Amino acid sequence: MSQKIFLTSALAMGVIAPAFAEPSHTGTFPADGYMEEDYTYTNAATADNMDSVYEGTVDAVAEYEDVLYQIVAGQYLPAGAESPIDCDQSGYFCAGVQNGVYYDANNNQGLTSCSDATNGAYTLSAGTGDSVNSCYRTCTNSDVAHSTGTMNGGYYYGNNNQCGATSCVNGWHLKTSMSGGELVTAIGTGAGENSAHIKADGTFGEQNFDGQGEKGQSYYGLTDNNTWAVDYGTNGMLVGQARCSTQAGDNNGATWTNPTITSSLTDETGQAGAQYCYCNVTGYKGTDGTMQSLSAPWVFYEGFSGGESACAYGCANDCASILRITDSSFLAFRAALLGSVQSSPAMCEANVININWSNADAADVIANNAGTATYGSDVRTPVKAQTIKGKTFRGWRFSKPEQTNLP
């Protein structure tokens, strides 16, 4: 009779004990009692550490603390999200949250309704702004004098009228301001004939290169401190402002290939440390003699090693001088400054009507500047009418000229 042998070892029975991984970290039990993930705490299974438990069961309770999310201006934290995103909701703006926010499954945080912020007066926005100033309302014809029909743009919070007309009432015509590109073309790359400036202390200065002597302050139309002008002869005249700021800038090693450009400088000439000179453009006078107002940001020129006093003395003069000279790097500054000019919405400008005065000598018309009249404004008559024997002059009466039928 054969005998059967039974193997009772785990290996013989085909049963293999599971292999356990060791935690990645080893350390002593933490003094605050908060055990970290994936740790071996050496000889830590004691009643002192385990809430006075010597036997049986002890609970290891996971504890959490809320994450504080920092929300910068231009971003918000969507409901249920853990990462802020760029502002992207029309009718809203994102001003940032100074003290941060916690997770919220149901509500957006850092996103403010334009309607709520302005009591319903300005309900629209592109949704990408970082302040209430990005909120606007629809334009009406009352926002642009003498306009009619459809309007462009918006009227922004803070009394910022960016409304543009598309058509005007009779007697008026559309007028748009120059863009930066148009101004660059108008001025060109030639040298300025003359320039002038008023320093921070009110001192007026002028530089002449056309050989005709000084023109005087009234010629440039400068009245305020920290202003400048450059006369380009037949290419017109530029006027602008200078400012010394504590805000440092970059002029790319005096090449101005990508200089610091900012829409606002929060400090003024005269403050301690205000040694960084910026320039901007405020107007252009074309060959017709009309000064056109322009809107442009500040462009960084340079920092003055002599501090705020040196900047206050030289900034306005330098803004004018650099725009007068045709050195290649200075032309780069000119291009950056002029290119920064922002075209403004279309407005309605009164028509200029030519007046043909019969029986009046040209000298008498010119003497009273009577050759034209701006619609809605004054009509000036010649100094006198011609004398005709046997007749008493009663006056001039307007008459629409006869239309000539052209083939």
Side-chain angles (χ1 to χ4, degrees), residues 130-155:
D130 59 9
S131 77
V132 68
N133 292 329
S134 64
C135 300
Y136 67 93
R137 63 167 173 79
T138 302
C139 297
T140 67
N141 292 127
S142 62
D143 295 319
V144 178
H146 312 290
S147 65
T148 186
T150 304
M151 301 293 293
N152 289 328
Y155 199 108

Side-chain angles (χ1 to χ4, degrees), residues 356-389:
N356 297 318
W357 298 97
S358 65
N359 297 95
D361 293 335
D364 290 327
V365 174
I366 294 172
N368 279 358
N369 194 23
T372 62
T374 301
Y375 191 84
S377 297
D378 299 337
V379 173
R380 297 174 297 274
T381 63
V383 174
K384 64 180 182 298
Q386 295 171 344
T387 300
I388 299 179
K389 292 181 179 182

